[in-house]
């Protein structure tokens, strides 16, 4: 990793190769790989909010779900072109994030965590009650997407969907890499390390946190919109607590604040989940539980720190 | 008039359940500074043990409930010694994650042993009856719940305010380093408090099974409910938890009776507004 980091864009190129290799390696599991990619985007949004800005959240699904419903409704009622749908999903997620963020960022610690959960629950309740608009518990149906850019038709095995999602995720990933190195990204890191000192040197901590939460909300909205467009269905599950919690676990599993951790953790978690759930649909929760405890107790920096930890272990013995 | 009385009785009974389950959570947060998302799991475990004893061993309601509480305490003790002790020093996020992991393990265990169906805790004939107050009848169960809740509050108040243990506990909450320095065994206080909280949660889980049915996903389903009580009441405050549990129980019951369509939305909107105005809760000393 360290040697790779010295060559410009080597890591990004490696990522592109992995995405291309995955397309040929799993021709019959493209839908699953696509789901992993969407989840990577969602976890990246949490990494921005939590890993960069240090805002503990267990309710990121609120923005994901809102993006999904917005994109789904847009496709049903306005136009089924995918790219405008993404923009609508992003804006919807960002709007919810800025509105709720203005209140949430006033709190911290447990109160903050709890309020983020509460926002997702309210969204869940509203989507459940507004049956005429969202389809309630039956889910939002009837999403039929037009070809991407009018050129690439969505096909039955999901080849177009895969490339469409891969390109969107990659573009957002590059944007986040850019952000991490930009003054805003550095200032968010500073707020994460010590809000008091950042206040002392004159940084507008509250406004920066709201901004980070809004950006994260927009990215989560894109992820939700992608999910709605690719699966052509939006169900109430998009607002579930489990989604937020699992995404958080993926992030911690991989390691926070480095963007790569979000990718590593998501791929690992989704693969373990997929294999364990298909091998034993009733007891996979055991495995996830032990995995989480194992990482928290033995690998606090996440999987991305595993090589360094192993090296240290090797040197000691 | 009868509507108001109904709301009052149901709301107070519901609030008492919320208090019994949440008070342990509030104290562990105030004392050990640990965000224990697995706390609802103790309420579920008490209910599950009682259910198994009643349905498979034919034990009566009261002994089954007592054994359920005892079993939960017996499990909470080693859990605190072996796992939670290590969690205390972690950051917020690590604590959240570790306790979510524990919650998953609890759910998976119950799911494996009992399946994911509702686990009924049938009330004994006497409790299921109604009592005639002369001007109207009330379900006896609600009155028993309120009575037990009042007894728990008085008991806790006596324990905290009048005993040597209570003095030490309050000292440890205020400043654990100083409390340790003057010879208070804070480790023992932690364990005892944790077990007390877990036992009360089990009591609340069993008594409240009518309102919050016991099932494998119980800890996740009602987690927010218990966290809300702690956040609104203020961490580490008994009086705060009690006032918050009672108030929230009444508000939720009232909104269910009066605006059933939008009850949950109204309830959470109230909480968000309240916490935006008072981020530390009613009597919170810690934010």
């Amino acid at each position: 990793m360290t040697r790779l980091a010295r060559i410009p864009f080597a890591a990004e190129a490696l990522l592109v190769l992995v995405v291309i290799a995955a397309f040929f390696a799993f021709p019959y599991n493209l839908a699953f790989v696509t789901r992993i990619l969407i989840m990577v985007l969602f976890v990246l949004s949490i990494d921005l909010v939590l890993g960069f800005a240090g805002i503990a959240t267990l309710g990121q699904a609120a923005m994901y779900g809102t993006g999904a419903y917005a994109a789904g409704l847009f496709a049903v009622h306005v136009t089924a072109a995918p790219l405008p749908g993404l923009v609508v999903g992003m804006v919807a997620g960002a709007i919810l994030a800025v509105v709720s963020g203005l209140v949430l960022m006033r709190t911290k610690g447990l109160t903050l965590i709890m309020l983020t959960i509460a926002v997702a629950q309210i969204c869940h309740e509203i989507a459940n009650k507004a049956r005429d608009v969202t389809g309630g518990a039956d889910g939002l149906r009837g999403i039929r997407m037009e070809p991407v850019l009018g050129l690439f038709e969505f096909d039955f095995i999901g080849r177009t969907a895969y490339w469409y999602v891969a390109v969107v995720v990659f573009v957002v990933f590059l944007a986040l890499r850019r952000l991490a190195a930009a003054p805003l990204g550095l200032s968010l890191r500073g707020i994460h390390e010590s809000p008091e000192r950042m206040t002392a040197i004159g940084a507008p901590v509250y406004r920066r946190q709201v901004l980070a939460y809004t950006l994260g909300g927009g990215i989560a909205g894109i992820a939700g919109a992608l999910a709605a467009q690719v699966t052509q269905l939006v169900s109430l599950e998009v607002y579930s607590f489990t989604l937020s919690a699992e995404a958080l676990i993926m992030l911690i599993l991989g390691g926070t604040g480095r963007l790569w951790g979000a990718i590593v953790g998501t791929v690992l978690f989704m693969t373990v989940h997929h294999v364990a759930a298909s091998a034993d649909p009733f007891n996979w929760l055991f495995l996830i539980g032990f995995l989480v405890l194992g990482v928290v107790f033995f690998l606090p920096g996440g999987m991305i720190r595993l090589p360094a930890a192993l090296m240290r272990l090797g040197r000691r013995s | 008039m009868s509507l108001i009385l109904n709301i009052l009785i149901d709301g107070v009974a519901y609030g008492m359940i919320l208090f019994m389950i949440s008070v342990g959570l509030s104290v562990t947060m105030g004392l050990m500074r640990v965000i224990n998302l697995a706390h609802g799991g103790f309420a579920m475990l008490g209910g599950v043990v009682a259910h198994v004893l009643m349905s498979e061993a034919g034990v009566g309601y009261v002994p089954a409930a007592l054994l359920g509480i005892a079993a939960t305490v017996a499990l909470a003790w080693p859990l605190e010694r072996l796992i939670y002790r290590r969690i205390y020093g972690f950051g917020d996020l690590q604590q959240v994650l570790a306790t979510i992991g524990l919650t998953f393990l609890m759910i998976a265990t119950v799911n494996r042993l009992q399946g994911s169906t509702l686990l009924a805790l049938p009330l004994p004939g006497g409790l299921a009856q109604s009592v005639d107050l002369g001007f109207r009848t009330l379900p006896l169960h609600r009155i028993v719940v309120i009575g037990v809740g009042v007894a728990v509050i008085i008991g806790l108040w006596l324990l905290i305010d009048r005993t040597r243990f209570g003095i030490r506990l309050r000292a440890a909450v205020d400043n654990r380093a100083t409390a340790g320095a003057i010879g208070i065994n804070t480790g023992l206080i932690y364990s005892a408090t944790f077990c007390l909280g877990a036992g009360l949660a089990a009591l609340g889980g069993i008594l409240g099974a009518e309102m919050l049915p016991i099932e494998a996903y119980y800890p996740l389903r009602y987690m927010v409910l218990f966290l809300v009580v702690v956040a609104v009441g203020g961490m580490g405050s008994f009086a705060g938890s009690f006032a918050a549990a009672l108030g929230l129980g009444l508000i939720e019951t009232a909104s269910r009776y009066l605006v059933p369509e939008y009850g949950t939305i109204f309830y959470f909107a109230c909480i968000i507004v309240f916490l935006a105005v008072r981020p530390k809760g009613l009597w919170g000393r810690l934010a």
Side-chain angles (χ1 to χ4, degrees):
Chain A
M1 208 67 210
T2 46
R3 211 165 299 153
L4 267 178
R6 267 178 234 140
I7 311 165
F9 299 113
E12 282 83 355
L14 185 73
L15 199 64
V16 173
L17 283 180
V18 169
V19 169
I20 293 173
F23 178 76
F24 292 106
F26 305 106
Y28 303 108
N29 276 327
L30 274 185
F32 175 62
V33 183
T34 308
R35 221 168 66 229
I36 294 185
L37 283 173
I38 294 176
M39 212 57 201
V40 164
L41 189 59
F42 182 49
V43 176
L44 280 172
S45 82
I46 301 182
D47 201 13
L48 173 63
V49 169
L50 188 136
F52 283 30
I55 303 163
T57 169
L58 264 176
Q60 194 72 358
M63 275 66 83
Y64 176 87
T66 305
Y69 272 112
L73 290 170
F74 185 74
V76 172
H77 297 295
V78 186
T79 160
L83 289 183
L86 281 191
V87 175
V88 168
M90 179 180 75
V91 170
I95 289 177
L96 177 66
V98 73
V99 170
S100 60
L102 285 172
V103 176
L104 297 186
M105 294 312 123
R106 290 167 49 84
T107 62
K108 54 184 173 178
L110 170 85
T111 310
L112 172 61
I113 293 176
M114 203 214 62
L115 284 185
T116 56
I117 305 176
V119 169
Q121 292 230 334
I122 292 184
C123 291
H124 183 279
E125 227 15 67
I126 292 175
N128 189 20
K129 288 281 157 28
R131 181 171 288 278
D132 302 337
V133 184
T134 62
D138 296 333
L140 179 64
R141 286 160 194 282
I143 304 171
R144 294 275 170 276
M145 298 314 293
E146 282 169 12
V148 184
L149 297 172
L151 295 173
F152 308 101
E153 193 105 27
F154 280 100
D155 54 312
F156 186 67
I157 30 178
R159 283 202 196 117
T160 311
Y162 179 77
W163 290 117
Y164 171 54
V165 171
V167 168
V168 172
V169 174
F170 192 68
V171 167
V172 176
F173 179 72
L174 287 185
L176 280 174
R177 294 274 290 173
R178 185 75 197 81
L179 177 75
L184 176 62
L186 295 176
S187 136
L188 290 179
R189 260 169 219 279
I191 292 172
H192 186 183
E193 299 297 325
S194 169
E196 292 81 12
R197 287 184 192 174
M198 287 305 281
T199 314
I201 62 167
V205 170
Y206 172 71
R207 287 217 311 264
R208 289 275 155 80
Q209 283 181 326
V210 173
L211 180 60
Y213 198 64
T214 309
L215 287 175
I219 295 173
I222 298 178
L226 280 177
Q229 293 178 348
V230 168
T231 57
Q232 309 198 329
L233 174 79
V234 185
S235 71
L236 283 177
E237 293 297 304
V238 292
Y239 283 127
S240 74
F241 171 79
T242 324
L243 180 67
S244 300
E246 284 187 349
L248 184 67
I249 291 171
M250 293 178 208
L251 178 61
I252 307 287
L253 210 57
T256 56
R258 278 178 218 84
L259 297 179
W260 291 103
I263 299 177
V264 173
T266 309
V267 172
L268 188 76
F269 182 97
M270 296 281 283
T271 312
V272 168
H273 188 308
H274 187 68
V275 173
S278 58
D280 189 349
F282 296 108
N283 294 319
W284 60 269
L285 214 49
F286 273 114
L287 201 64
I288 301 291
F290 280 120
L291 196 67
V292 170
L293 283 181
V295 165
V296 173
F297 279 111
F298 302 114
L299 216 61
M303 282 293 167
I304 204 151
R305 285 288 171 86
L306 188 62
L310 286 179
M311 243 184 261
R312 227 178 304 126
L313 207 66
R315 219 172 289 150
R316 205 177 298 159
S317 63
Chain B
M1 192 60 215
S2 102
L3 180 70
I4 294 176
L5 197 67
N6 270 340
I7 292 177
L8 264 180
I9 295 285
D10 280 358
V12 171
Y14 184 57
M16 291 292 181
I17 297 294
L18 284 183
F19 172 71
M20 283 183 240
I21 299 180
S22 311
V23 67
L25 191 61
S26 175
V27 175
T28 42
M29 271 180 195
L31 186 59
M32 294 89 144
R33 313 280 193 274
V34 58
I35 299 176
N36 182 14
L37 297 187
H39 191 74
F42 293 122
M44 170 185 71
L45 290 178
V48 170
V49 172
H51 165 80
V52 171
L53 285 173
M54 274 156 66
S55 64
E56 280 167 35
V59 181
Y61 185 83
V62 175
L66 291 176
L67 284 171
I69 296 167
T72 309
V73 172
L75 186 84
W77 182 273
L79 212 56
E80 199 274 342
R81 288 265 144 168
L82 295 175
I83 306 235
Y84 278 92
R85 189 137 295 191
R86 285 156 217 272
I87 295 179
Y88 296 155
F90 287 178
D92 278 6
L93 203 64
Q94 247 68 25
Q95 292 182 346
V96 164
L97 232 25
T99 51
I100 285 185
L102 278 178
T103 312
F104 281 180
L105 289 181
M106 286 179 181
I107 293 173
T109 311
V110 173
N111 205 9
R112 165 148 196 112
L113 298 177
Q114 293 290 315
S116 54
T117 50
L118 283 188
L119 305 174
L121 288 173
L123 293 172
L127 266 185
Q129 283 170 1
S130 299
V131 282
D132 199 349
L133 288 183
F135 62 103
R136 53 172 289 114
T137 58
L138 289 171
L140 183 62
H141 170 253
R142 298 285 191 275
I143 295 174
V144 170
V145 166
I146 295 175
V148 174
V150 170
V152 165
I153 290 155
I154 294 174
L156 274 180
W157 178 73
L158 286 175
L159 182 73
I160 306 285
D161 214 61
R162 289 284 183 268
T163 64
R164 198 157 277 272
F165 173 78
I167 294 170
R168 289 181 176 151
L169 173 61
R170 277 181 289 149
V173 171
D174 280 344
N175 191 325
R176 70 184 134 167
T178 312
I182 58 170
I184 293 173
N185 185 350
T186 47
L188 192 66
I189 300 253
Y190 282 11
S191 301
T193 314
F194 191 84
C195 290
L196 180 68
L200 283 177
L203 175 68
I206 294 167
L207 279 180
E210 293 273 291
M211 294 165 239
L212 310 171
I214 302 286
E215 39 124 10
Y217 282 86
Y218 184 98
L220 275 188
R221 184 154 311 187
Y222 304 116
M223 185 163 76
V224 183
L225 218 56
F226 310 142
L227 289 178
V228 163
V229 174
V230 177
V232 169
M235 281 157 238
S237 158
F238 287 98
S241 302
F242 179 60
L246 217 55
L248 290 170
L250 282 170
I251 290 177
E252 190 176 350
T253 312
S255 60
R256 266 197 200 146
Y257 271 96
L258 301 175
V259 276
E261 277 291 288
Y262 302 99
T264 318
I265 299 172
F266 175 75
Y267 178 68
F268 279 116
C270 281
I271 289 159
I272 289 183
V273 169
F274 176 82
L275 284 175
V277 178
R278 282 198 70 120
K280 291 186 183 184
L282 283 173
W283 277 285
R285 278 174 291 186
L286 320 151

